Amino acid sequence: MDETPAVPARQSAAAGATVAASSLAGLTFSKGHGTGNDFVLIADPGDAHEITPEQVARLCDRHVGIGGDGLIRAVPSRFLPEGRDLLEQDPDAEWFMDYRNGDGSLSEMCGNGVRVFVHFLIAEQLVDLGPGETLTIGTRGGVKKVVRTSNGYAVDMGPWEFIFPKEATSKAMDALVSADGLEVARPGLSVSMGNPHTVVALAELKELAATQLFKAPVVDPKPANGTNVEFVVPAEPLVEDGVGTITMRVHERGVGETQSCGTGACAAAVAIRHWAGNTAPNDWHVKVPGGVVDVKFFPGAGGREHVELSGPAVIVATGTLS
Ligand SMILES: N[C@H](CCC[C@H](N)C(=O)O)C(=O)O
């Protein structure tokens, strides 16, 4: 009988390499997510594991690894130079969220990741945090305060910055963004949440669904360090009972399309609120393919307006690397 040819496995980035080939064999890990933005999590209380970008990519690969949008290593801040700097600012920032994108690249901040990171620290019994209590943590985007709520966590994400390139022609948009499925290039507004975002408003949900995000949208002018691109549709009416609602999809730098992006949801609310003018509310629901996160603007330290991100965090499983 003719042998039917084996169907070649889809060549993934790490095809042929296996996690077992790494020096991480025997290490326990957890898998978690926040509204479908998923992460491989590793506790490293002794800073014993220098996880290389190649190892991150293998572990995050959804065919030859565990699979995840990113990897989060929990390590005491005192072991990292950036962590020691933060401890001088705030000695309570005992644990550091060492976040990496799924391709192994670094990012300054990860909003969904912070919630899952704190949930992981509690699950690992590395911290004790009851409902209503606040934990201070260190990140590459600075010190963050995280409150455990009745149904997840609320994170003070700090202030935002508009990233207007000097050649920006207006304060309403600073980039032109094109993507497969979009008939014409659209204006975008670039916002930093510690990491870069470019927010594009679309007219209706049909257009959002038709936008193809298998590859990175083209942003002009090209941001020097890349950018996460959010496509957003404001609800009609935008505000109900004092709360604004946005529907969003995102193509993440170093990952691809994800089910959710916490810093992206904050950037989306900043942009829509900027475009809507000062009639816009402080409270927002941001609907993403993986669920809903809430964004709130409030007067933060130093007279700057801060953004708070809140939402769920789930640990799905725990295992051992072979
Ligand atoms: N998913 C993350 C954002 C990761 C951003 C990363 N892709 C970057 O390169 O900035 C979040 O929930 O905020």
Side-chain angles (χ1 to χ4, degrees), residues 42-49 73-76 78-79 95 126:
I42 290 173
D44 193 0
D47 189 30
H49 304 288
R73 183 173 72 111
V75 59
R78 70 180 184 277
F79 288 123
W95 284 96
L126 294 171

Side-chain angles (χ1 to χ4, degrees), residues 37 99 101 107 109-113 195 228 252-253 255 260-263:
N37 194 192
Y99 171 78
N101 282 323
S107 170
M109 193 50 200
C110 181
N112 288 321
N195 58 347
N228 301 283
E252 280 197 35
R253 175 181 66 166
V255 188
S260 177
C261 180
T263 50

Side-chain angles (χ1 to χ4, degrees), residues 199 230 232 246 248 263-273 275 286:
V199 182
E230 288 80 21
V232 300
I246 303 168
M248 175 183 116
T263 50
C266 295
V270 167
I272 294 280
R273 194 163 169 267
W275 287 320
V286 182

